[in-house]
Amino acid sequence: MPDIKHKPDVEAEKPQLQRPPLYHVVMLNDDYTPMEFVIEVMVRFFHKSEDTANKLMLQIHHQGSARCGLFPRDVAETKIHQVETASRTSGHPLRCIMERESSDQ
């Protein structure tokens, strides 16, 4: 029988998986988009309840912006595109931006 050399135990190195960065979708205030439309957008694209959507709309109106959700980059970009497309189609200038989630949160 041939002499079989024993291979040393090699511990398989586990890949270092990292959570992908997340982005807040932030809706911005403007002087033209009706409050009802902002609420409709919150319910339709961010799946907010009417009550939560109303509170966020008031925050946008009084403070200038509000965070609508936290998503991976591609989902955040899609949400922004959906909101802005629906806004332009309806004749409104409503805008959203993305803010990267802070690592110290």
Side-chain angles (χ1 to χ4, degrees):
M1 231 189 211
D3 186 21
I4 299 175
K5 293 185 178 179
H6 181 10
K7 293 183 180 178
D9 289 335
V10 176
E11 208 172 294
E13 188 173 320
K14 292 182 182 179
Q16 295 295 323
L17 300 178
Q18 294 181 359
R19 187 183 95 184
L22 296 176
Y23 294 82
H24 294 280
V25 174
V26 180
M27 194 170 292
L28 305 175
N29 187 43
D30 64 70
D31 294 332
Y32 304 101
T33 304
M35 293 177 178
E36 296 79 19
F37 184 78
V38 173
I39 293 170
E40 178 186 324
V41 165
M42 294 279 189
V43 171
R44 181 175 172 194
F45 297 114
F46 298 97
H47 309 288
K48 303 294 184 189
S49 68
E50 289 279 338
D51 186 52
T52 300
N54 191 57
K55 288 176 184 173
L56 287 170
M57 177 275 300
L58 288 172
Q59 180 182 342
I60 293 165
H61 182 70
H62 293 293
Q63 298 176 15
S65 66
R67 291 176 172 174
C68 303
L70 183 64
F71 309 98
R73 183 181 186 100
D74 58 336
V75 175
E77 288 173 343
T78 299
K79 296 282 184 189
I80 290 170
H81 179 73
Q82 290 172 325
V83 168
E84 293 186 353
T85 299
S87 296
R88 299 311 166 268
T89 300
S90 298
H92 305 301
L94 185 63
R95 289 190 52 235
C96 293
I97 60 170
M98 282 190 328
E99 291 179 349
R100 188 173 176 154
E101 180 184 36
S102 173
S103 60
D104 60 336
Q105 289 183 351

